[in-house]
Amino acid sequence: LAEAEAQVRAAQAQRDALIAGAGNEAIAVAAGAVAEARAAMVRAEKLLARYQLSAPITGTVTALSVTAGEMVQPGAPVLTLADLTHLQVETTDLSERDVVFVRAGQAARVLVEPLDREIMGRVASVASQASRIGGDVVYTVRIDLDEQLPELRWGMSAEVEIVVETLPSVI
């Protein structure tokens, strides 16, 4: 791409010099060289675009799975991209006995253990499908935090207590 841009600049400089003291034929030749150099630049930009990664969000690269120059198979993960401006807490151990008491929007207390800080939040979602951990049937719950602490980091341990205000009637 840099080479194509340099060719465009050189062709334009040559054209400008010829315009200053040349005839129509020399001007036409220089204009042709400029058009050719621009076409080469467009081809180089298209080729470069084929080798660029783009993401649907703006974020921070938190993990890189490949090194420069390494060949990557189609569909293979290359990096992990995260929006660190809105961290959530994910808990994977809500018991099947308790899942009936939890709904999106309920308040939650989150103790961020490494910071020894409690943050309030709200249940953002409860998984529809269960997982198994050590034989127990559990559900994943995501909590939106009311406050984004600057010292909070992705992957920190947290303890979650979901505030249950009303209990459903059991038949």
Side-chain angles (χ1 to χ4, degrees):
L1 184 59
E3 182 180 323
E5 289 172 342
Q7 288 176 352
V8 168
R9 285 192 300 275
Q12 286 174 330
Q14 182 182 10
R15 181 197 66 188
D16 293 344
L18 290 172
I19 288 173
N24 289 340
E25 185 178 313
I27 292 171
V29 168
V34 168
E36 187 178 317
R38 283 191 178 136
M41 186 172 77
V42 167
R43 285 190 304 273
E45 287 173 339
K46 286 181 180 179
L47 184 62
L48 178 63
R50 290 179 50 201
Y51 296 102
Q52 289 180 328
L53 296 175
S54 60
I57 64 165
T58 300
T60 302
V61 175
T62 59
L64 191 58
S65 306
V66 297
T67 57
E70 184 178 346
M71 295 293 289
V72 178
Q73 294 297 321
V78 175
L79 56 85
T80 302
L81 184 69
D83 177 4
L84 300 178
T85 61
H86 184 75
L87 293 175
Q88 293 180 315
V89 173
E90 181 179 279
T91 180
T92 57
D93 60 355
L94 179 64
S95 164
E96 67 181 325
R97 289 180 304 277
D98 296 329
V99 73
V100 295
F101 302 112
V102 178
R103 303 270 184 273
Q106 282 179 286
R109 285 185 203 80
V110 178
L111 173 62
V112 181
E113 294 172 358
L115 304 178
D116 195 28
R117 294 274 309 268
E118 187 176 281
I119 308 169
M120 291 304 293
R122 297 241 167 243
V123 173
S125 65
V126 180
S128 298
Q129 182 174 353
S131 302
R132 290 195 179 267
I133 297 179
D136 292 333
V137 177
V138 294
Y139 292 82
T140 298
V141 179
R142 290 181 195 251
I143 310 291
D144 285 331
L145 301 174
D146 291 347
E147 182 182 3
Q148 297 289 313
L149 303 175
E151 59 273 17
L152 187 62
R153 298 289 181 265
W154 187 356
M156 284 185 165
S157 298
E159 190 173 306
V160 174
E161 179 185 337
I162 298 171
V163 179
V164 179
E165 296 171 3
T166 60
L167 302 176
S169 59
V170 178
I171 300 175

